[in-house]
Amino acid sequence: MNVLEIQGLCKTYPGFYLDNVSFSVERGSVMGFIGRNGAGKTTTLKSVLNLVRPEAGEIRYFGLDLAKHEGEIKKRIGYAGGAVDYYKRKKIREVVAVTRTFYDNWDESEYRRFLNLFSLDENKTPAQLSEGMRVKLNLTLALSHKAELLILDEPTSGLDPVSREELLEVFRYLRDQGVSVLFSTHITSDLEKCADDITYIARGRLITSSPLADFLRRSAAEGAGSSLDEIMVHYEKESLYEKNAG
Amino acid sequence: MKKMLDKELRLATSPLAWVFLAAAMMAFLPGYPILMSAFFIGLGTFQSFQAVRESNDILYTALLPVPKRDAVLAKYLSVCFFQMVGFAMMTAVTAVRMTLLKDAAVYRTNALMNASPVFLAFALLIFTAFNVCFLGGFFKTAHAIGVPFLAYGVVTLLLVTVGESLHFFPGLRFLNAPGGERMGLQFCALAAAACVYALLTVLSCRASIRRFERIDL
């Protein structure tokens, strides 16, 4: 069963067009969302959260239309767009005290568990935390209301290698619990450690959305490379000379 | 919506918004354009919007498990809450001035507007200007506050000028009687202003919701 289905998503910005993007995320799977800077990853993720208004397309969570069931759907998903960048001067305790009132499914013991796991101090303000610690705070908030789907935009950027490994372990744990994870990243080695599926977007167009193992096998057979890094370079690198000539 | 209002008051409201409510007491000042007290209450609320922008409150709110439109509704409700608290305080000051202090020499010789139901009516019109010009303007972008506040300032200046000079016009001297004259007419003016406030605030809120739904955050 799919927890998220995106059909024909289109969005235009000056100099950029997100062109008819469609993919779906299965329950209990980890999907990596990759692409170069400016490929359309954040626009896609913001569209599926109704932060950006797409010109066309259908977005369904758990079989429900986002436009008609926005409040209900947002209770069942968690989002972390990198580091916490709101209420930086308020104590974490104060922000959480308000945030938890919006979730019937808020799990205080999970919240405490992740605070301990990530060594976060509630009496600090986000402004007093490093970038990496603010990413962990965002994740803690997203993980504390028993979300069935986590949507994470660059969650591992800014994290040290140990924290990244811990986070990937959290993803694997969540997958075993039946939680789905959709996360964008530039660090493709993270995907190779934990992703089941991959969605690859380039210049606003979908290149593939398929099981990671299938994509790697197919690309190797086509001579595009054997790792995600090599494959991305193969598909997207334009030489400086070609650019100048163009 | 109760949760949203609670969130507004606990996270998004600047402490200055509470401090500026004290401006309602300026309605006691003789020889001072007391309608400015309504403007200052708006200025206090404006401080909250500066904090909203700095703290990324709109993004936080849009990610909460509520429809996107509720972010707008919550802002209007919290602004109206402050306006109604300010209005209640101004009403209390007006009642004191028109009863206990009606014979005070400073008010009998006051060249500017005295506190009266018409004063309260103009205060409501200034609040309406805030809701239409500032809130309506803010939700065109959900971040720009300068131009909307300027528009609010210009409209308020006009309203204060008209309100403060009204009793100089022939036949309108009664508006400045410290103890109140022709109260029926004055209360009709207050009721009309309350209707304008309610109607234009609702219309502004609806327009803001439509605009906000189209904004890319």
Side-chain angles (χ1 to χ4, degrees), chain A residues 11 46 51 53 74 87 99, chain B residues 55-57 60 62 216-217:
Chain A
K11 175 73 185 173
K46 282 188 165 184
L51 297 177
R53 189 183 171 93
K74 283 182 175 173
Y87 307 127
T99 305
Chain B
S55 63
N56 255 332
D57 166 81
Y60 168 83
D216 293 336
L217 295 172

Side-chain angles (χ1 to χ4, degrees), chain B residues 45-114:
Chain B
T45 315
F46 170 74
Q47 303 296 329
S48 287
F49 278 81
Q50 280 189 314
V52 158
R53 195 169 62 167
E54 285 160 14
S55 63
N56 255 332
D57 166 81
I58 294 290
L59 180 64
Y60 168 83
T61 310
L63 288 170
L64 288 173
V66 292
K68 196 174 172 184
R69 56 184 290 139
D70 283 7
V72 179
L73 213 48
K75 284 276 176 270
Y76 272 79
L77 276 180
S78 76
V79 167
C80 289
F81 167 78
F82 276 91
Q83 290 172 342
M84 288 304 101
V85 172
F87 184 75
M89 291 167 73
M90 284 191 278
T91 303
V93 172
T94 301
V96 170
R97 277 186 60 164
M98 292 185 73
T99 53
L100 302 175
L101 301 174
K102 68 178 179 182
D103 296 321
V106 284
Y107 296 137
R108 292 209 156 274
T109 56
N110 187 15
L112 293 172
M113 186 183 223
N114 272 327

